[in-house]
Short mmCIF file of all heavy atoms in Angstrom, two decimals:
data_model
loop_
_atom_site.label_atom_id
_atom_site.label_comp_id
_atom_site.label_asym_id
_atom_site.label_seq_id
_atom_site.Cartn_x
_atom_site.Cartn_y
_atom_site.Cartn_z
N MET A 1 200.80 68.24 173.96
CA MET A 1 200.13 68.13 172.66
C MET A 1 200.13 66.68 172.20
O MET A 1 201.15 66.00 172.27
CB MET A 1 200.90 69.01 171.66
CG MET A 1 200.21 69.16 170.37
SD MET A 1 200.63 70.71 169.55
CE MET A 1 202.39 70.50 169.28
N LYS A 2 198.97 66.27 171.74
CA LYS A 2 198.85 64.89 171.25
C LYS A 2 199.12 64.90 169.74
O LYS A 2 198.54 65.67 169.01
CB LYS A 2 197.44 64.37 171.54
CG LYS A 2 197.20 62.95 171.13
CD LYS A 2 195.87 62.47 171.68
CE LYS A 2 195.54 61.09 171.15
NZ LYS A 2 194.92 61.14 169.83
N ILE A 3 200.04 64.03 169.33
CA ILE A 3 200.41 63.98 167.91
C ILE A 3 199.96 62.65 167.32
O ILE A 3 200.28 61.60 167.87
CB ILE A 3 201.94 64.08 167.75
CG1 ILE A 3 202.48 65.31 168.49
CG2 ILE A 3 202.31 64.14 166.27
CD1 ILE A 3 204.00 65.35 168.55
N THR A 4 199.24 62.73 166.22
CA THR A 4 198.84 61.49 165.54
C THR A 4 199.29 61.58 164.10
O THR A 4 199.10 62.60 163.45
CB THR A 4 197.29 61.35 165.54
OG1 THR A 4 196.82 61.52 166.89
CG2 THR A 4 196.86 59.98 165.04
N VAL A 5 199.91 60.52 163.63
CA VAL A 5 200.24 60.45 162.18
C VAL A 5 199.23 59.52 161.54
O VAL A 5 199.07 58.37 161.97
CB VAL A 5 201.67 59.91 161.95
CG1 VAL A 5 201.94 59.75 160.46
CG2 VAL A 5 202.71 60.84 162.55
N ASP A 6 198.52 60.04 160.56
CA ASP A 6 197.58 59.23 159.79
C ASP A 6 198.39 58.42 158.78
O ASP A 6 198.83 58.94 157.75
CB ASP A 6 196.56 60.15 159.09
CG ASP A 6 195.53 59.36 158.31
OD1 ASP A 6 195.78 58.18 157.98
OD2 ASP A 6 194.46 59.92 158.03
N ARG A 7 198.61 57.17 159.11
CA ARG A 7 199.52 56.35 158.30
C ARG A 7 198.99 56.12 156.89
O ARG A 7 199.74 55.83 155.97
CB ARG A 7 199.80 55.02 159.01
CG ARG A 7 200.57 55.24 160.31
CD ARG A 7 200.89 53.93 161.00
NE ARG A 7 201.71 53.04 160.23
CZ ARG A 7 203.04 53.07 160.19
NH1 ARG A 7 203.68 53.99 160.85
NH2 ARG A 7 203.71 52.20 159.47
N ALA A 8 197.68 56.23 156.74
CA ALA A 8 197.10 56.06 155.39
C ALA A 8 197.40 57.27 154.51
O ALA A 8 197.44 57.17 153.30
CB ALA A 8 195.59 55.83 155.51
N LYS A 9 197.61 58.42 155.15
CA LYS A 9 197.85 59.65 154.38
C LYS A 9 199.33 59.93 154.16
O LYS A 9 199.69 60.60 153.22
CB LYS A 9 197.24 60.85 155.12
CG LYS A 9 195.76 61.01 154.89
CD LYS A 9 195.36 62.37 155.39
CE LYS A 9 193.87 62.63 155.19
NZ LYS A 9 193.49 63.86 155.91
N CYS A 10 200.17 59.47 155.08
CA CYS A 10 201.61 59.77 154.99
C CYS A 10 202.21 59.12 153.75
O CYS A 10 201.97 57.95 153.48
CB CYS A 10 202.34 59.25 156.23
SG CYS A 10 204.13 59.40 156.10
N GLU A 11 202.95 59.93 152.99
CA GLU A 11 203.59 59.40 151.79
C GLU A 11 205.10 59.44 151.87
O GLU A 11 205.80 59.37 150.86
CB GLU A 11 203.06 60.14 150.55
CG GLU A 11 201.59 59.82 150.30
CD GLU A 11 201.01 60.55 149.10
OE1 GLU A 11 201.75 61.18 148.34
OE2 GLU A 11 199.78 60.43 148.92
N GLY A 12 205.60 59.60 153.09
CA GLY A 12 207.04 59.45 153.31
C GLY A 12 207.93 60.55 152.78
O GLY A 12 209.09 60.32 152.48
N TYR A 13 207.40 61.75 152.67
CA TYR A 13 208.23 62.86 152.17
C TYR A 13 209.32 63.26 153.16
O TYR A 13 210.31 63.87 152.76
CB TYR A 13 207.37 64.07 151.82
CG TYR A 13 206.43 63.84 150.69
CD1 TYR A 13 205.08 63.63 150.94
CD2 TYR A 13 206.89 63.79 149.38
CE1 TYR A 13 204.20 63.39 149.90
CE2 TYR A 13 206.01 63.56 148.33
CZ TYR A 13 204.67 63.36 148.59
OH TYR A 13 203.80 63.13 147.57
N GLY A 14 209.10 63.00 154.43
CA GLY A 14 210.12 63.29 155.43
C GLY A 14 210.23 64.75 155.86
O GLY A 14 211.14 65.13 156.58
N LYS A 15 209.29 65.59 155.43
CA LYS A 15 209.33 67.01 155.80
C LYS A 15 209.19 67.15 157.31
O LYS A 15 209.79 68.04 157.92
CB LYS A 15 208.18 67.77 155.13
CG LYS A 15 208.22 67.71 153.63
CD LYS A 15 208.77 69.00 153.07
CE LYS A 15 208.73 68.97 151.58
NZ LYS A 15 209.80 69.74 151.00
N CYS A 16 208.37 66.32 157.90
CA CYS A 16 208.13 66.38 159.34
C CYS A 16 209.44 66.13 160.09
O CYS A 16 209.77 66.82 161.05
CB CYS A 16 207.07 65.36 159.75
SG CYS A 16 207.41 63.69 159.18
N MET A 17 210.18 65.18 159.60
CA MET A 17 211.44 64.79 160.22
C MET A 17 212.48 65.91 160.11
O MET A 17 213.24 66.14 161.04
CB MET A 17 211.97 63.57 159.48
CG MET A 17 212.68 62.59 160.28
SD MET A 17 213.02 61.16 159.26
CE MET A 17 214.19 61.79 158.09
N GLN A 18 212.45 66.62 158.99
CA GLN A 18 213.37 67.74 158.83
C GLN A 18 213.02 68.87 159.78
O GLN A 18 213.88 69.51 160.35
CB GLN A 18 213.34 68.26 157.39
CG GLN A 18 214.04 67.32 156.43
CD GLN A 18 213.73 67.67 154.97
OE1 GLN A 18 213.24 68.73 154.67
NE2 GLN A 18 214.03 66.74 154.08
N ALA A 19 211.71 69.11 159.97
CA ALA A 19 211.27 70.23 160.80
C ALA A 19 211.43 69.92 162.30
O ALA A 19 211.78 70.79 163.08
CB ALA A 19 209.82 70.58 160.50
N ALA A 20 211.18 68.69 162.68
CA ALA A 20 211.23 68.32 164.10
C ALA A 20 211.87 66.93 164.22
O ALA A 20 211.18 65.93 164.48
CB ALA A 20 209.83 68.34 164.72
N PRO A 21 213.19 66.87 164.06
CA PRO A 21 213.88 65.58 163.97
C PRO A 21 213.85 64.73 165.24
O PRO A 21 214.05 63.52 165.18
CB PRO A 21 215.32 65.96 163.61
CG PRO A 21 215.46 67.39 163.93
CD PRO A 21 214.10 68.00 163.84
N LYS A 22 213.58 65.38 166.38
CA LYS A 22 213.53 64.57 167.61
C LYS A 22 212.15 64.00 167.85
O LYS A 22 211.95 63.19 168.74
CB LYS A 22 213.97 65.43 168.80
CG LYS A 22 215.44 65.76 168.73
CD LYS A 22 215.87 66.56 169.92
CE LYS A 22 217.29 67.04 169.75
NZ LYS A 22 217.49 68.33 170.38
N VAL A 23 211.19 64.47 167.06
CA VAL A 23 209.81 64.03 167.27
C VAL A 23 209.38 62.98 166.25
O VAL A 23 208.74 61.99 166.59
CB VAL A 23 208.84 65.24 167.21
CG1 VAL A 23 207.40 64.79 167.30
CG2 VAL A 23 209.17 66.21 168.34
N PHE A 24 209.75 63.19 164.99
CA PHE A 24 209.31 62.28 163.93
C PHE A 24 210.48 61.52 163.32
O PHE A 24 211.58 62.05 163.20
CB PHE A 24 208.65 63.08 162.79
CG PHE A 24 207.45 63.85 163.23
CD1 PHE A 24 207.55 65.21 163.52
CD2 PHE A 24 206.21 63.24 163.36
CE1 PHE A 24 206.44 65.94 163.93
CE2 PHE A 24 205.09 63.96 163.76
CZ PHE A 24 205.21 65.31 164.05
N LYS A 25 210.20 60.28 162.96
CA LYS A 25 211.17 59.56 162.14
C LYS A 25 210.42 58.65 161.18
O LYS A 25 209.24 58.34 161.41
CB LYS A 25 212.15 58.80 163.03
CG LYS A 25 211.71 57.43 163.46
CD LYS A 25 212.86 56.66 164.03
CE LYS A 25 212.74 55.25 163.54
NZ LYS A 25 213.23 54.22 164.37
N LEU A 26 211.07 58.26 160.12
CA LEU A 26 210.42 57.36 159.17
C LEU A 26 210.73 55.93 159.58
O LEU A 26 211.84 55.59 159.93
CB LEU A 26 210.92 57.61 157.75
CG LEU A 26 210.63 58.99 157.16
CD1 LEU A 26 211.05 59.05 155.69
CD2 LEU A 26 209.16 59.37 157.28
N ASP A 27 209.69 55.11 159.55
CA ASP A 27 209.90 53.69 159.89
C ASP A 27 210.40 52.93 158.66
O ASP A 27 210.69 53.52 157.62
CB ASP A 27 208.63 53.10 160.52
CG ASP A 27 207.50 52.93 159.52
OD1 ASP A 27 207.70 53.14 158.30
OD2 ASP A 27 206.39 52.60 159.97
N GLU A 28 210.47 51.64 158.78
CA GLU A 28 211.05 50.83 157.69
C GLU A 28 210.18 50.86 156.42
O GLU A 28 210.64 50.54 155.33
CB GLU A 28 211.32 49.40 158.17
CG GLU A 28 210.12 48.55 158.52
CD GLU A 28 209.49 48.88 159.88
OE1 GLU A 28 210.06 49.69 160.65
OE2 GLU A 28 208.40 48.34 160.15
N LYS A 29 208.92 51.29 156.58
CA LYS A 29 208.05 51.43 155.39
C LYS A 29 208.03 52.85 154.88
O LYS A 29 207.18 53.23 154.07
CB LYS A 29 206.63 50.99 155.74
CG LYS A 29 206.51 49.50 156.01
CD LYS A 29 205.08 49.13 156.33
CE LYS A 29 204.94 47.65 156.55
NZ LYS A 29 203.75 47.32 157.35
N PHE A 30 208.91 53.69 155.41
CA PHE A 30 208.98 55.11 155.05
C PHE A 30 207.69 55.84 155.39
O PHE A 30 207.23 56.71 154.66
CB PHE A 30 209.38 55.32 153.57
CG PHE A 30 210.77 54.80 153.30
CD1 PHE A 30 210.96 53.58 152.71
CD2 PHE A 30 211.88 55.53 153.70
CE1 PHE A 30 212.23 53.07 152.49
CE2 PHE A 30 213.15 55.05 153.48
CZ PHE A 30 213.32 53.81 152.88
N ILE A 31 207.11 55.45 156.49
CA ILE A 31 205.93 56.12 157.04
C ILE A 31 206.38 56.76 158.35
O ILE A 31 207.12 56.15 159.14
CB ILE A 31 204.78 55.12 157.30
CG1 ILE A 31 204.38 54.37 156.02
CG2 ILE A 31 203.57 55.84 157.92
CD1 ILE A 31 203.74 55.19 154.96
N SER A 32 205.92 57.98 158.57
CA SER A 32 206.34 58.73 159.75
C SER A 32 205.75 58.12 161.04
O SER A 32 204.58 57.74 161.08
CB SER A 32 205.88 60.17 159.59
OG SER A 32 206.21 60.90 160.74
N VAL A 33 206.59 58.05 162.05
CA VAL A 33 206.13 57.64 163.38
C VAL A 33 206.60 58.69 164.40
O VAL A 33 207.59 59.40 164.17
CB VAL A 33 206.66 56.24 163.81
CG1 VAL A 33 206.02 55.15 163.00
CG2 VAL A 33 208.18 56.16 163.71
N VAL A 34 205.87 58.76 165.51
CA VAL A 34 206.24 59.72 166.56
C VAL A 34 207.25 59.03 167.48
O VAL A 34 206.95 58.01 168.10
CB VAL A 34 205.00 60.16 167.36
CG1 VAL A 34 205.40 61.09 168.49
CG2 VAL A 34 204.00 60.85 166.44
N LEU A 35 208.44 59.61 167.54
CA LEU A 35 209.51 59.10 168.39
C LEU A 35 209.30 59.57 169.82
O LEU A 35 209.36 58.81 170.78
CB LEU A 35 210.84 59.72 167.95
CG LEU A 35 211.74 59.05 166.98
CD1 LEU A 35 213.00 59.89 166.83
CD2 LEU A 35 212.08 57.66 167.46
N ASP A 36 209.10 60.89 169.95
CA ASP A 36 208.99 61.51 171.26
C ASP A 36 208.19 62.80 171.09
O ASP A 36 208.67 63.76 170.50
CB ASP A 36 210.41 61.84 171.79
CG ASP A 36 210.37 62.60 173.10
OD1 ASP A 36 209.28 62.77 173.66
OD2 ASP A 36 211.46 63.02 173.55
N ALA A 37 206.96 62.77 171.59
CA ALA A 37 206.05 63.90 171.40
C ALA A 37 206.54 65.17 172.08
O ALA A 37 206.05 66.26 171.79
CB ALA A 37 204.65 63.53 171.89
N THR A 38 207.49 65.01 173.01
CA THR A 38 207.98 66.21 173.70
C THR A 38 209.42 66.54 173.28
O THR A 38 210.12 67.31 173.95
CB THR A 38 207.94 66.00 175.24
OG1 THR A 38 208.74 64.86 175.56
CG2 THR A 38 206.51 65.76 175.73
N GLY A 39 209.86 65.93 172.20
CA GLY A 39 211.27 66.07 171.79
C GLY A 39 211.64 67.44 171.21
O GLY A 39 212.79 67.80 171.19
N ASP A 40 210.65 68.15 170.70
CA ASP A 40 210.91 69.48 170.14
C ASP A 40 209.82 70.43 170.65
O ASP A 40 208.83 69.99 171.22
CB ASP A 40 210.87 69.42 168.60
CG ASP A 40 212.24 69.15 168.00
OD1 ASP A 40 213.21 69.84 168.40
OD2 ASP A 40 212.35 68.26 167.15
N THR A 41 210.01 71.71 170.38
CA THR A 41 209.02 72.69 170.85
C THR A 41 207.71 72.51 170.08
O THR A 41 207.69 72.01 168.96
CB THR A 41 209.53 74.12 170.61
OG1 THR A 41 209.73 74.30 169.19
CG2 THR A 41 210.83 74.38 171.33
N ASP A 42 206.62 72.97 170.71
CA ASP A 42 205.32 72.91 170.05
C ASP A 42 205.34 73.67 168.72
O ASP A 42 204.69 73.27 167.76
CB ASP A 42 204.23 73.52 170.95
CG ASP A 42 203.85 72.56 172.08
OD1 ASP A 42 204.42 71.44 172.15
OD2 ASP A 42 203.00 72.93 172.91
N GLN A 43 206.13 74.76 168.72
CA GLN A 43 206.24 75.55 167.50
C GLN A 43 206.82 74.72 166.33
O GLN A 43 206.34 74.79 165.21
CB GLN A 43 207.17 76.72 167.79
CG GLN A 43 206.67 78.03 167.32
CD GLN A 43 207.61 79.16 167.75
OE1 GLN A 43 208.52 78.95 168.56
NE2 GLN A 43 207.36 80.33 167.23
N LYS A 44 207.86 73.95 166.67
CA LYS A 44 208.49 73.13 165.62
C LYS A 44 207.55 72.02 165.16
O LYS A 44 207.51 71.66 163.99
CB LYS A 44 209.79 72.50 166.14
CG LYS A 44 210.99 73.41 166.02
CD LYS A 44 212.22 72.57 166.19
CE LYS A 44 213.47 73.40 166.12
NZ LYS A 44 214.67 72.59 166.27
N ILE A 45 206.80 71.48 166.13
CA ILE A 45 205.87 70.39 165.79
C ILE A 45 204.74 70.93 164.91
O ILE A 45 204.35 70.30 163.93
CB ILE A 45 205.34 69.74 167.08
CG1 ILE A 45 206.50 69.08 167.84
CG2 ILE A 45 204.25 68.72 166.76
CD1 ILE A 45 206.17 68.64 169.25
N LEU A 46 204.29 72.13 165.23
CA LEU A 46 203.24 72.75 164.41
C LEU A 46 203.78 73.03 163.01
O LEU A 46 203.08 72.78 162.02
CB LEU A 46 202.75 74.04 165.09
CG LEU A 46 201.64 74.79 164.36
CD1 LEU A 46 200.39 73.93 164.20
CD2 LEU A 46 201.29 76.08 165.09
N LEU A 47 205.00 73.48 162.94
CA LEU A 47 205.62 73.74 161.63
C LEU A 47 205.69 72.43 160.83
O LEU A 47 205.37 72.40 159.64
CB LEU A 47 207.02 74.33 161.81
CG LEU A 47 207.81 74.59 160.52
CD1 LEU A 47 207.14 75.71 159.71
CD2 LEU A 47 209.24 74.97 160.84
N ALA A 48 206.08 71.36 161.50
CA ALA A 48 206.16 70.05 160.84
C ALA A 48 204.81 69.66 160.27
O ALA A 48 204.70 69.20 159.13
CB ALA A 48 206.66 68.99 161.84
N ALA A 49 203.77 69.85 161.07
CA ALA A 49 202.41 69.49 160.63
C ALA A 49 202.02 70.35 159.42
O ALA A 49 201.41 69.85 158.47
CB ALA A 49 201.43 69.66 161.76
N LYS A 50 202.39 71.63 159.47
CA LYS A 50 202.03 72.52 158.36
C LYS A 50 202.80 72.18 157.09
O LYS A 50 202.30 72.38 155.99
CB LYS A 50 202.30 73.97 158.76
CG LYS A 50 201.27 74.50 159.74
CD LYS A 50 201.51 75.95 160.07
CE LYS A 50 200.40 76.51 160.94
NZ LYS A 50 200.73 77.85 161.45
N LEU A 51 204.03 71.69 157.25
CA LEU A 51 204.84 71.38 156.08
C LEU A 51 204.45 70.06 155.43
O LEU A 51 204.81 69.81 154.29
CB LEU A 51 206.32 71.30 156.50
CG LEU A 51 207.01 72.63 156.78
CD1 LEU A 51 208.42 72.39 157.31
CD2 LEU A 51 207.07 73.51 155.53
N CYS A 52 203.74 69.23 156.15
CA CYS A 52 203.38 67.92 155.59
C CYS A 52 202.46 68.11 154.39
O CYS A 52 201.38 68.66 154.50
CB CYS A 52 202.67 67.07 156.64
SG CYS A 52 202.07 65.53 155.93
N PRO A 53 202.92 67.67 153.20
CA PRO A 53 202.15 67.91 151.98
C PRO A 53 200.81 67.19 151.96
O PRO A 53 199.90 67.60 151.23
CB PRO A 53 203.05 67.39 150.87
CG PRO A 53 204.32 66.93 151.48
CD PRO A 53 204.18 66.98 152.97
N THR A 54 200.66 66.13 152.72
CA THR A 54 199.39 65.39 152.68
C THR A 54 198.53 65.63 153.91
O THR A 54 197.50 64.98 154.09
CB THR A 54 199.65 63.88 152.53
OG1 THR A 54 200.33 63.43 153.71
CG2 THR A 54 200.50 63.57 151.31
N LYS A 55 198.96 66.56 154.77
CA LYS A 55 198.24 66.86 156.02
C LYS A 55 197.99 65.58 156.84
O LYS A 55 196.89 65.32 157.33
CB LYS A 55 196.90 67.56 155.75
CG LYS A 55 197.02 68.90 155.07
CD LYS A 55 197.24 70.02 156.06
CE LYS A 55 197.44 71.36 155.42
NZ LYS A 55 198.72 71.52 154.72
N ALA A 56 199.04 64.78 156.95
CA ALA A 56 198.93 63.51 157.65
C ALA A 56 199.16 63.65 159.16
O ALA A 56 198.95 62.68 159.89
CB ALA A 56 199.92 62.51 157.06
N ILE A 57 199.61 64.82 159.58
CA ILE A 57 199.91 65.00 161.01
C ILE A 57 198.77 65.76 161.67
O ILE A 57 198.44 66.88 161.26
CB ILE A 57 201.24 65.75 161.19
CG1 ILE A 57 202.37 64.95 160.57
CG2 ILE A 57 201.50 66.02 162.68
CD1 ILE A 57 203.70 65.68 160.52
N LEU A 58 198.19 65.14 162.67
CA LEU A 58 197.07 65.74 163.39
C LEU A 58 197.54 66.11 164.79
O LEU A 58 198.19 65.31 165.48
CB LEU A 58 195.91 64.72 163.51
CG LEU A 58 195.54 63.99 162.22
CD1 LEU A 58 194.50 62.92 162.50
CD2 LEU A 58 195.06 64.95 161.17
N LEU A 59 197.23 67.34 165.19
CA LEU A 59 197.64 67.80 166.51
C LEU A 59 196.41 68.15 167.33
O LEU A 59 195.54 68.88 166.86
CB LEU A 59 198.53 69.04 166.38
CG LEU A 59 199.77 68.89 165.49
CD1 LEU A 59 200.50 70.21 165.36
CD2 LEU A 59 200.70 67.82 166.04
N ASP A 60 196.37 67.65 168.56
CA ASP A 60 195.24 67.95 169.46
C ASP A 60 195.79 68.37 170.81
O ASP A 60 196.87 67.93 171.22
CB ASP A 60 194.38 66.69 169.66
CG ASP A 60 193.76 66.20 168.37
OD1 ASP A 60 192.97 66.96 167.79
OD2 ASP A 60 194.08 65.09 167.94
N GLU A 61 195.02 69.20 171.49
CA GLU A 61 195.38 69.56 172.86
C GLU A 61 195.27 68.33 173.73
O GLU A 61 194.28 67.59 173.65
CB GLU A 61 194.44 70.64 173.39
CG GLU A 61 194.92 72.03 173.10
CD GLU A 61 193.95 73.10 173.58
OE1 GLU A 61 193.12 72.80 174.45
OE2 GLU A 61 194.03 74.21 173.05
N GLU A 62 196.28 68.12 174.56
CA GLU A 62 196.34 66.91 175.38
C GLU A 62 195.10 66.77 176.29
O GLU A 62 194.47 65.73 176.32
CB GLU A 62 197.61 66.98 176.25
CG GLU A 62 198.01 65.67 176.88
CD GLU A 62 198.62 64.70 175.87
OE1 GLU A 62 199.64 65.00 175.26
OE2 GLU A 62 198.03 63.63 175.73
N GLU A 63 194.78 67.84 177.01
CA GLU A 63 193.72 67.71 178.01
C GLU A 63 192.31 67.85 177.44
O GLU A 63 191.44 67.00 177.69
CB GLU A 63 193.94 68.72 179.14
CG GLU A 63 195.01 68.19 180.06
CD GLU A 63 195.46 69.18 181.12
OE1 GLU A 63 194.72 70.13 181.41
OE2 GLU A 63 196.55 68.94 181.66
N SER A 64 192.10 68.88 176.63
CA SER A 64 190.74 69.11 176.13
C SER A 64 190.43 68.27 174.90
O SER A 64 189.27 68.06 174.56
CB SER A 64 190.57 70.59 175.77
OG SER A 64 191.42 70.89 174.67
N GLY A 65 191.46 67.77 174.22
CA GLY A 65 191.25 67.02 173.00
C GLY A 65 190.90 67.92 171.82
O GLY A 65 190.57 67.44 170.73
N LYS A 66 191.01 69.23 172.04
CA LYS A 66 190.65 70.19 170.99
C LYS A 66 191.65 70.14 169.84
O LYS A 66 192.87 70.09 170.07
CB LYS A 66 190.64 71.60 171.61
CG LYS A 66 189.71 72.54 170.92
CD LYS A 66 189.64 73.86 171.67
CE LYS A 66 190.05 74.95 170.72
NZ LYS A 66 190.64 76.12 171.35
N ARG A 67 191.13 70.13 168.64
CA ARG A 67 191.98 70.08 167.46
C ARG A 67 192.79 71.38 167.30
O ARG A 67 192.24 72.46 167.36
CB ARG A 67 191.09 69.81 166.24
CG ARG A 67 191.75 69.79 164.87
CD ARG A 67 192.83 68.78 164.64
NE ARG A 67 192.69 67.45 165.20
CZ ARG A 67 192.23 66.40 164.54
NH1 ARG A 67 191.80 66.51 163.33
NH2 ARG A 67 192.19 65.22 165.14
N ILE A 68 194.08 71.22 167.15
CA ILE A 68 194.96 72.37 166.93
C ILE A 68 195.27 72.51 165.44
O ILE A 68 195.26 73.59 164.88
CB ILE A 68 196.28 72.19 167.72
CG1 ILE A 68 195.99 72.11 169.23
CG2 ILE A 68 197.26 73.30 167.40
CD1 ILE A 68 197.17 71.68 170.07
N PHE A 69 195.52 71.37 164.81
CA PHE A 69 195.84 71.38 163.38
C PHE A 69 195.55 70.03 162.78
O PHE A 69 195.85 69.01 163.43
CB PHE A 69 197.33 71.74 163.18
CG PHE A 69 197.69 71.94 161.74
CD1 PHE A 69 197.52 73.16 161.13
CD2 PHE A 69 198.17 70.87 160.98
CE1 PHE A 69 197.81 73.33 159.78
CE2 PHE A 69 198.46 71.04 159.64
CZ PHE A 69 198.29 72.28 159.05
N PRO A 70 195.03 69.91 161.57
CA PRO A 70 194.52 71.00 160.76
C PRO A 70 193.12 71.41 161.20
O PRO A 70 192.34 70.54 161.62
CB PRO A 70 194.49 70.41 159.35
CG PRO A 70 194.35 68.94 159.55
CD PRO A 70 194.97 68.62 160.87
N LEU A 71 192.84 72.70 161.12
CA LEU A 71 191.52 73.17 161.47
C LEU A 71 190.63 73.05 160.22
O LEU A 71 191.13 73.19 159.12
CB LEU A 71 191.58 74.60 161.97
CG LEU A 71 192.33 74.76 163.30
CD1 LEU A 71 192.52 76.24 163.62
CD2 LEU A 71 191.60 74.07 164.44
N PRO A 72 189.34 72.79 160.42
CA PRO A 72 188.46 72.64 159.26
C PRO A 72 188.34 73.91 158.44
O PRO A 72 188.52 74.99 158.95
CB PRO A 72 187.11 72.24 159.87
CG PRO A 72 187.19 72.58 161.31
CD PRO A 72 188.64 72.62 161.70
S1 SF4 B 101 205.77 65.16 156.07
FE1 SF4 B 101 203.79 64.09 156.10
S2 SF4 B 101 203.89 62.72 154.36
FE2 SF4 B 101 205.96 63.34 154.83
S3 SF4 B 101 206.78 61.78 156.17
FE3 SF4 B 101 205.95 63.40 157.44
S4 SF4 B 101 203.85 62.75 157.87
FE4 SF4 B 101 204.56 61.60 156.14
#
């Protein structure tokens, strides 16, 4: 799964980090960065994306590039 954090949308709430601590961390500007895209299960990563209040986490299928979350 390809994980993208939209840095313009992230407001540093840290929900993603709580849901999937091995995948997301906050950088020195309190913006989420991807530490390790395979650090947690896809389920936890999806939960993290769903918990993000600003929908700053975008998930796509690695091979097809198909959007997994958020869906339009
Ligand atoms: S939950 Fe969303 S807004 Fe909060 S730190 Fe993570 S990506 Fe940023």
Side-chain angles (χ1 to χ4, degrees):
M1 189 152 63
K2 182 170 174 276
I3 307 171
T4 309
V5 175
D6 182 339
R7 294 181 62 84
K9 278 193 181 170
C10 174
E11 292 179 8
Y13 295 104
K15 300 258 184 211
C16 52
M17 215 173 68
Q18 286 167 15
K22 291 181 188 147
V23 174
F24 300 98
K25 86 166 221 211
L26 297 186
D27 70 8
E28 66 284 352
K29 291 181 178 158
F30 296 100
I31 302 293
S32 177
V33 290
V34 177
L35 267 183
D36 175 7
T38 59
D40 269 311
T41 61
D42 284 0
Q43 227 175 350
K44 275 196 181 181
I45 296 168
L46 181 60
L47 178 66
K50 286 183 174 170
L51 286 174
C52 174
T54 64
K55 298 274 177 290
I57 299 172
L58 313 174
L59 305 176
D60 298 298
E61 270 178 21
E62 196 74 60
E63 282 173 19
S64 66
K66 208 174 122 208
R67 177 60 39 96
I68 298 168
F69 187 86
L71 293 172

